[in-house]
């Protein structure tokens, strides 16, 4: 019926199959590189890593309960240091006032010193204080050199 050789039909079938594979690859790339897919993979990897770290920490903590309790106590004492110092009388109003005055004095001293980036006010001469330019005309005495 047709005068085309059989190789033409085989080539067309191969081309259509290649086109189908290419379109499937493009669709897969679109879905795998979409924002939701990438975010899902990142969250999954972070979650897996966090679970692994938690399991290792849990295994390590089983044998060191005293150390962990001590660290928690130190952190709690650090956050409660101010009320504890006041309770034992180590912090007084006079001491606080002296510390505040020392801080204010230090700030005033810093403000009164010129910074190295800013030159002192009298370092550069102004136009009024600049010397007058020399007169370029020669001075004659009225006598001739004949």
């Amino acid at each position: 019926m047709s005068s085309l050789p059989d190789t033409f039909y085989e080539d067309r079938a191969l081309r259509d199959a290649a086109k189908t594979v290419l379109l499937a690859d493009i669709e897969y790339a679109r879905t795998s590189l979409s924002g939701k897919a990438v975010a899902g993979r990142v969250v999954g990897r972070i979650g897996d890593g966090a679970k692994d770290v938690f399991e290792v920490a849990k295994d390590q903590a089983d044998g060191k309960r005293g150390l962990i309790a001590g660290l928690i106590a130190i952190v709690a004492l650090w956050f409660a240091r101010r009320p504890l110092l006041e309770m034992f009388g180590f912090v007084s109003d006079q001491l606080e006032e002296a510390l505040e005055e020392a801080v204010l004095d230090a700030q005033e001293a810093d403000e009164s010193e010129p910074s190295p980036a800013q030159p002192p006010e009298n370092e550069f001469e102004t136009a009024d204080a600049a010397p007058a330019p020399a007169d370029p005309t020669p001075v004659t005495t009225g006598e001739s050199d004949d």
Side-chain angles (χ1 to χ4, degrees):
M1 192 151 162
S2 111
S3 61
L4 296 174
D6 290 335
T7 58
F8 176 77
Y9 293 114
E10 290 172 5
D11 290 343
R12 180 181 280 180
L14 286 173
R15 183 201 66 187
D16 291 342
K19 182 179 179 184
T20 305
V21 169
L22 177 67
L23 292 176
D25 286 345
I26 290 173
E27 186 61 32
Y28 175 75
R30 282 184 183 161
T31 58
S32 68
L33 296 177
S34 70
K36 291 180 182 179
V38 171
R41 286 194 303 268
V42 168
V43 168
R45 288 181 184 165
I46 290 173
D48 292 341
K51 287 177 187 176
D52 292 341
V53 168
F54 179 72
E55 289 174 8
V56 169
K58 184 176 158 186
D59 292 340
Q60 294 292 324
D62 284 340
K64 299 176 178 132
R65 292 186 187 270
L67 179 64
I68 294 174
L71 288 174
I72 291 173
I74 289 171
V75 170
L77 286 173
W78 175 256
F79 286 117
R81 70 186 181 279
R82 180 87 176 158
L84 290 173
L85 289 173
E86 289 176 356
M87 185 172 63
F88 291 117
F90 289 114
V91 177
S92 66
D93 292 335
Q94 294 173 350
L95 179 63
E96 287 183 23
E97 290 174 7
L99 288 174
E100 288 177 10
E101 288 178 17
V103 169
L104 290 175
D105 290 342
Q107 288 175 350
E108 289 175 2
D110 288 343
E111 291 173 0
S112 66
E113 294 178 8
S115 66
Q118 297 175 346
E121 293 178 16
N122 58 359
E123 185 174 320
F124 297 107
E125 295 181 0
T126 60
D128 296 337
D135 191 11
T137 58
V139 177
T140 57
T141 58
E143 297 179 15
S144 66
D145 289 314
D146 289 299

